[in-house]
Amino acid sequence: MILARKIIGRVAGHPYVTQATFADGDMVIVRECSRGGKSALIGPLSPSESYHTRKGVLLHNAIIGQLPRARIESTKKDGAGGLFMAQFPTLDEYVPLCSRRCTPIYPKDASAILTMLDTSPGDCILEAGTGNAGLSMYLARAVGPNGKVHTVERSSSTSEHAQLVVEQFRRGVLMPSIVFHVGVLGEVINKVAVSIDKSLATVLNTEKPLAEDPEQTWKEQGNIVAPLFDGIVLDMPTPWTQLPQIFGFLKTDRFVICYLPSISQVMDLVRASRQWPLLVEDVVEVDWRSWDIKVAVVRNPDPLAASDEAMVCRPTHTPIGHTAFLVKLRKCGAQ
């Protein structure tokens, strides 16, 4: 049913834009039609459900069947409710607002990671640390329908929740580009590789984890596997412990991006990477600052002024906090 609705809802030539009416199961952004009005992500829509706001109750049934940007009126017991506008969420809106099991990689960092990876349509990307699947969806949209994102999560419940998050965005449009794997990266990387290239089954042991000793792993498998991935993202506390397991699977002159909250983790990674043909190309921290630009009415206007309106330009009150450091490693050679 989800697949059928997805196909019907697409605009010809653009799989990520839809003009379809809202349907049962959709996630929807609703905004108050007033100055400074609040917005919220609601859903999945169901004819029997409702959403309570400060301006009354929004019935899901009043949204289902409407076109994007339609005005929906809430209901109140003591009189008329408020007006709300409904729309499909963008990915930037969906990732911070959707249900979560852990803190997602926010849009500001996700967009920087895509740039640092130099991602292109058709690429095959490995992600370790699925989490809430926020970055997985950005990667999937970047590689397109002809590419694949193989994402590994050690917790089965977190992986299941991540799949649900992806399925609920735009009727599952990004699901075909994402393959979910459960387990510790070093223990499942061979299975991931064989799922991509069946011919590797004769070379790699999918039932036995890679050797714990980095040198032994490198000597036994580091140079015998065909490089499969155009980029790798490691969102984990100690990514340097995984370098022996992933190095042979990364294409030469391509990138590993590590997402690290602490500068001490960055230092440990840089030290550990020196034993591999990996060049530390960049370490960045991304800042994103929104501004309010709007017209305001001057309370005591100058009688000689042509207008009693003025522009207000100032940073928003949204807190700006540190999320993580992004470390870019380039593979310089096969050995």
Side-chain angles (χ1 to χ4, degrees):
M1 184 179 295
I2 293 178
L3 179 61
R5 293 209 319 271
K6 176 179 66 178
I7 294 173
I8 292 171
R10 291 181 182 180
V11 171
H14 200 316
Y16 301 126
V17 176
T18 176
Q19 293 295 330
T21 57
F22 298 114
D24 186 6
D26 281 342
M27 301 296 291
V28 177
I29 290 280
V30 291
R31 303 181 188 276
E32 294 179 5
C33 295
S34 59
R35 185 176 179 179
K38 297 182 178 297
S39 62
L41 177 70
I42 68 172
L45 296 180
S46 172
S48 60
E49 296 294 327
S50 59
Y51 177 72
H52 292 259
T53 77
R54 62 179 181 174
K55 293 188 175 182
V57 178
L58 271 175
L59 301 176
H60 286 197
N61 209 33
I63 301 174
I64 294 174
Q66 299 285 349
L67 285 167
R69 304 194 69 80
R71 267 52 173 180
I72 315 295
E73 187 173 359
S74 61
T75 59
K76 295 181 74 173
K77 292 182 179 179
D78 56 351
L83 275 180
F84 292 79
M85 182 189 70
Q87 65 182 63
F88 286 109
T90 65
L91 191 53
D92 282 2
E93 292 169 327
Y94 184 73
V95 168
L97 295 176
C98 67
S99 63
R100 61 176 71 173
R101 291 287 182 90
C102 55
T103 303
I105 293 181
Y106 289 103
K108 73 179 184 74
D109 290 321
S111 58
I113 290 171
L114 292 179
T115 300
M116 295 170 82
L117 278 177
D118 192 33
T119 314
S120 300
D123 280 355
C124 184
I125 305 294
L126 173 66
E127 177 193 23
T130 308
N132 218 50
L135 180 60
S136 307
M137 291 188 285
Y138 278 97
L139 291 169
R141 191 165 65 175
V143 302
N146 295 322
K148 286 292 181 188
V149 176
H150 290 265
T151 181
V152 180
E153 172 59 49
R154 62 189 307 161
S155 168
S156 59
S157 61
T158 300
S159 182
E160 290 173 3
H161 176 75
Q163 292 181 56
L164 180 63
V165 168
V166 178
E167 288 171 355
Q168 290 179 342
F169 177 70
R170 294 289 179 96
R171 303 173 182 174
V173 69
L174 298 176
M175 276 297 288
S177 296
I178 305 177
V179 183
F180 294 88
H181 305 270
V182 177
V184 178
L185 179 61
E187 298 176 359
V188 301
I189 184 63
N190 283 356
K191 292 181 179 179
V192 175
V194 171
S195 72
I196 300 171
D197 185 350
K198 297 295 190 295
S199 67
L200 293 175
T202 59
V203 179
L204 301 177
N205 187 342
T206 59
E207 301 301 324
K208 181 182 176 183
L210 297 184
E212 294 182 3
D213 178 36
E215 265 189 54
Q216 184 182 349
T217 300
W218 175 246
K219 290 175 182 177
E220 291 183 356
Q221 294 194 173
N223 291 314
I224 62 174
V225 298
L228 300 172
F229 298 110
D230 299 286
I232 297 176
V233 183
L234 301 178
D235 178 12
M236 55 180 61
T238 57
W240 52 90
T241 63
Q242 303 302 309
L243 294 181
Q245 285 87 343
I246 66 171
F247 187 89
F249 294 102
L250 178 66
K251 295 178 181 179
T252 300
D253 206 37
R254 299 307 296 168
F255 307 101
V256 179
I257 309 298
C258 299
Y259 181 91
L260 298 169
S262 168
I263 193 63
S264 61
Q265 292 171 297
V266 175
M267 295 165 62
D268 290 338
L269 173 63
V270 172
R271 289 193 191 100
S273 66
R274 294 173 65 186
Q275 64 179 304
W276 308 101
L278 290 168
L279 174 65
V280 181
E281 282 209 345
D282 215 349
V283 179
V284 302
E285 180 185 16
V286 181
D287 286 330
W288 189 290
R289 193 174 200 180
S290 297
W291 280 64
D292 271 333
I293 310 292
K294 57 189 178 183
V295 177
V297 177
V298 180
R299 292 183 179 179
N300 298 304
D302 185 341
L304 301 178
S307 171
D308 59 355
E309 293 183 344
M311 297 295 295
V312 175
C313 309
R314 63 187 179 190
T316 63
H317 298 298
T318 305
I320 300 175
H322 168 77
T323 51
F325 298 100
L326 305 179
V327 183
K328 178 181 180 182
L329 306 173
R330 183 193 289 262
K331 182 176 178 178
C332 301
Q335 50 187 333

